[in-house]
Amino acid sequence: MQEAKYITIISNRIKIAIGISTILYVQLIGKIAEIHVSGGKIYETRSTLGQLEEKLGDGFIKAHRGCIVSVKAIHDITDKINLSNGESLEYAIRKKKEIISQICSQQKSIISSFDGDGAPTTEEEYREHYKALDAFPFAFTDIEMIFNEERHAVDWIFRYGNAALAKLEKMPLERLIGTSFGSLFSNMDSKWLRSYERATLYGEILEMIDYSPEIDTYLKVICFPTFKGHCGCILFNISDIKFTKNSSDAEKAMMLYFGNPPFNSGKD
């Protein structure tokens, strides 16, 4: 049977379909379930946690009796459940081994499928594959993720980069390609790692707008899956981008873009 892609709820007397892949966690406050989705939006609905667990399927685990969380949204477990979007959740300590086991099982299954999917094997093959991007005015790189024994992403290796990437990273391509990011930048910020891990493992297309302490630059980064175990990244220096508003629809478009629809579209 095909797995459901959406759940339907009633929120503020409106029937709404929410993409399951966008749901990070659900928290029960009294008789109200708060459904937290990517982008920071929260939907409230009257429901029990058990009813939502049944709709959401095996991709969610119970952190404690008032909270269920998407396994794919979890980056790691310390004294809290740390999500890939930077949020942290409390959990029942007695469930730590179970939570870690489920995360490892899911990621192990994905990582074990990485071998032999036709990815280039040499620098020359990567350059040939991406040669159309060599002269593009924006930075692009294909990175291969590095996972530790616990199946957590800990670093990445630059497999391809264009001239614009070298300019942005302030480093020649000869030094970047084939080298891990962490060995080049000792002040590596894990926020990039969390998003690249999500794109690589779960096929998500993500955008980040944030400060890069590594190169002292404010960046806009769009990341997406390429080959198995790899992630493609388009990077822009924010100061090089100018926004233009060309029509009356631009405001609606921006509100949708930032996750605040000006009207109910029926789907998140």
Side-chain angles (χ1 to χ4, degrees):
M1 187 171 70
Q2 190 173 11
E3 221 176 273
K5 293 183 178 180
Y6 294 90
I7 62 167
T8 302
I9 64 165
I10 303 296
S11 183
N12 294 324
R13 300 182 181 179
I14 299 172
K15 189 175 183 179
I16 298 173
I18 303 175
I20 291 177
S21 65
T22 70
I23 298 174
L24 303 175
Y25 61 96
V26 181
Q27 200 137 22
L28 196 65
I29 309 295
K31 295 183 179 180
I32 301 297
E34 293 185 348
I35 302 174
H36 296 248
V37 302
S38 300
K41 193 169 182 62
I42 303 171
Y43 293 98
E44 294 184 350
T45 188
R46 291 182 69 88
S47 175
T48 67
L49 219 54
Q51 289 170 331
L52 287 172
E53 274 186 291
E54 188 175 340
K55 290 181 180 180
L56 292 172
D58 296 337
F60 288 75
I61 57 176
K62 186 173 284 187
H64 55 76
R65 66 180 183 176
C67 179
I68 55 177
V69 57
S70 169
V71 173
K72 78 174 189 177
I74 299 173
H75 176 64
D76 62 16
I77 308 289
T78 55
D79 57 332
K80 293 186 177 182
I81 296 175
N82 302 305
L83 304 185
S84 295
N85 70 343
E87 289 188 71
S88 295
L89 302 173
E90 302 287 346
Y91 68 94
I93 296 298
R94 61 183 175 78
K95 295 180 71 69
K96 184 172 183 176
K97 287 185 178 179
E98 178 186 343
I99 293 170
I100 292 175
S101 175
Q102 289 190 45
I103 296 170
C104 288
S105 176
Q106 183 173 358
Q107 291 192 343
K108 183 177 181 179
S109 175
I110 296 170
I111 294 169
S112 65
S113 70
F114 285 170
D115 293 334
D117 86 319
T121 57
T122 65
E123 288 185 25
E124 291 73 21
E125 288 181 4
Y126 277 104
R127 286 200 299 269
E128 177 63 24
H129 183 80
Y130 287 116
K131 64 182 179 181
L133 298 174
D134 286 347
F136 271 35
F138 55 79
F140 175 79
T141 182
D142 184 298
I143 60 176
E144 180 179 0
M145 302 304 297
I146 300 173
F147 296 90
N148 63 13
E149 292 181 358
E150 285 74 39
R151 306 305 194 278
H152 295 309
V154 293
D155 205 343
W156 65 85
I157 297 171
F158 292 98
R159 291 305 185 190
Y160 167 83
N162 59 9
L165 177 74
K167 180 180 177 182
L168 184 66
E169 299 286 358
K170 304 170 185 174
M171 201 171 288
L173 283 178
E174 293 76 15
R175 191 174 174 197
L176 287 169
I177 304 305
T179 308
S180 71
F181 188 84
S183 67
L184 294 170
F185 300 97
S186 59
N187 59 338
M188 176 181 179
D189 195 320
S190 64
K191 64 192 172 194
W192 312 112
L193 195 61
R194 289 196 299 265
S195 294
Y196 299 160
E197 179 183 50
R198 284 174 60 185
T200 300
L201 292 180
Y202 306 113
E204 294 182 275
I205 300 173
L206 303 169
E207 180 184 65
M208 298 158 283
I209 299 177
D210 214 325
Y211 175 69
S212 169
E214 300 92 344
I215 56 174
D216 189 25
T217 304
Y218 284 91
L219 297 176
K220 170 180 174 177
V221 181
I222 301 171
C223 62
F224 51 90
T226 53
F227 304 102
K228 288 185 178 180
H230 290 239
C231 172
C233 303
I234 300 172
L235 306 94
F236 300 91
N237 183 332
I238 290 294
S239 63
D240 294 337
I241 302 175
K242 295 181 180 178
F243 174 73
T244 60
K245 183 177 178 181
N246 295 320
S247 73
S248 58
D249 290 326
E251 184 177 350
K252 287 183 180 179
M254 289 298 290
M255 292 177 74
L256 286 168
Y257 180 72
F258 285 109
N260 297 300
F263 53 86
N264 181 262
S265 61
K267 289 183 180 179
D268 178 65

